Amino acid sequence: MASRWCVSSFSISVILGLALALVTTRAEAQSAASEGCDDDALSALAAVHALDHVTPTELLARARRDGASYPSLHVITLSDDDLAGRARWMRTLASRGLGPLVCGEALLETSRVVVAAPAQGSLVIDGHALRVTLSPRFAEPVVYVRSRDAEPRAYAVREGIAQIDLGEVEVPAQLQLVATGPEGPRPVAELRVGEGEVVDSLPEDPTVITLLRARAESGPLRPNRLLAEVAEEHAERVCATGHVAHEIADEGNAEQRLRRAHVEARHVGEVVSRAADERGAWRALVASPSHRAALGDRRFTDVGVARVEHEGRTCLVVVLASWPRRAAR
């Protein structure tokens, strides 16, 4: 029998009061609102960061515990009058494929703390139903569900409702919405349900692929030099641009890049991450239900792994394929 689950609504009344207390003048508050950086929930999180110096990772964890479905959070501290700097920062985030964005802020005596989040999609629990919304730029939504001690399962979305009965989901559970946008598929929203975290102890290196495939009862993968070369080219592009996506500029998706390398395959997959170090990059992949599902997909027979370091960041790309072969030139 499924465990009982629940998720609280996102309550911001207490910490929002802290955020408003930090605003130095009414004129400044009105100026911020006119610029559109006035999301109440994110303003509350900005206040928490300003008061307690909470990291973006912990801010995101707090928000998700309260029922928010942000896929990521981004924080910057600027001088209190630097609206131009805020606009530049938001444009930079959008240029990395994170747009559209919403933001909130807390104004201190001499500084401005801004918290931004992608507004590409959302997940809302309505009884045992899971409601899905998407930005007009995104389509083809799929919800991945991972419970403790179980590998992810994918569920279709029809008319804004994920085809899953949440009453039958073992908790704690992780719900992730993936949709396809201009730069390929990406996670656009994520929720936690139930008390506790969906965590497991996994190696933070390439051996995790073998372990995930064993859990999914999939066969082992053969290392493939051609796939690794294509993966490395994309990892270099990800690091150079800071843009974590499957399609960057005019290079196309993984299948198209393989074709340019004169490689054909029945099925092609790819996972991409960027972090402070290699362990963090692997950790990001295995923490994502959709990426875990790709790594464990039993259709794939071959793999190419590439790791590139650039300006203190590590970019990781794994290209997967089914029976790849050389194509005629």
Side-chain angles (χ1 to χ4, degrees), residues 44-318:
L45 293 174
V48 171
H49 179 79
L51 292 171
D52 299 333
H53 305 290
V54 176
T55 67
T57 299
E58 176 55 27
L59 280 181
L60 182 59
R62 291 189 185 195
R64 286 178 176 169
R65 284 196 294 268
D66 286 329
S69 64
Y70 309 120
S72 59
L73 286 178
H74 308 269
V75 181
I76 192 171
T77 300
L78 304 164
S79 62
D80 62 333
D81 59 351
D82 192 5
L83 291 176
R86 185 185 70 186
R88 286 193 300 272
W89 179 67
M90 295 285 285
R91 286 196 298 270
T92 297
L93 292 178
S95 72
R96 294 175 178 170
L98 298 176
L101 294 150
V102 291
C103 64
E105 61 185 3
L107 303 179
L108 284 74
E109 191 169 322
T110 60
S111 62
R112 175 187 301 269
V113 176
V114 186
V115 177
Q120 301 163 341
S122 67
L123 294 171
V124 176
I125 293 175
D126 182 6
H128 285 179
L130 184 65
R131 297 191 177 276
V132 174
T133 60
L134 281 180
S135 160
R137 297 175 60 199
F138 288 81
E140 302 175 6
V142 178
V143 171
Y144 287 84
V145 177
R146 182 168 76 96
S147 298
R148 183 177 292 173
D149 301 323
E151 288 308 297
R153 293 186 61 185
Y155 295 87
V157 176
R158 295 176 188 152
E159 298 181 351
I161 302 292
Q163 301 302 293
I164 177 176
D165 182 351
L166 291 179
E168 298 178 356
V169 173
E170 294 284 349
V171 295
Q174 181 182 8
L175 315 178
Q176 184 185 67
L177 172 63
V178 174
T180 300
E183 295 147 346
R186 67 165 60 237
V188 298
E190 191 168 312
L191 271 179
R192 301 289 198 275
V193 295
E195 296 182 1
E197 295 293 327
V198 184
V199 297
D200 44 17
S201 179
L202 292 172
E204 295 167 348
D205 58 44
T207 62
V208 74
I209 298 177
T210 301
L211 181 55
L212 288 177
R213 292 187 69 80
R215 289 187 176 190
E217 298 182 349
S218 301
L221 295 172
R222 300 176 301 191
N224 187 296
R225 177 181 58 83
L226 296 175
L227 300 187
E229 290 174 356
V230 172
E232 184 170 10
E233 289 181 1
H234 190 56
E236 289 173 350
R237 180 73 68 91
V238 169
C239 261
T241 62
H243 196 157
V244 183
H246 296 288
E247 301 180 38
I248 301 175
D250 58 352
E251 70 167 8
N253 58 32
E255 185 174 6
Q256 292 166 330
R257 284 182 261 118
L258 281 175
R259 286 177 181 169
R260 285 202 302 272
H262 307 289
V263 178
E264 293 182 348
R266 295 179 184 175
H267 303 284
V268 176
E270 179 180 70
V271 295
V272 182
S273 68
R274 179 173 177 264
D277 53 30
E278 183 177 7
R279 292 182 60 188
W282 284 108
R283 188 181 309 124
L285 289 182
V286 300
S288 166
S290 58
H291 290 81
R292 288 173 72 119
L295 292 172
D297 192 324
R298 63 184 60 191
R299 296 176 301 174
F300 297 129
T301 61
D302 291 58
V303 64
V305 179
R307 175 181 59 85
V308 172
E309 295 182 0
H310 180 74
E311 296 182 351
R313 306 291 287 180
T314 296
C315 299
L316 184 65
V317 174
V318 181

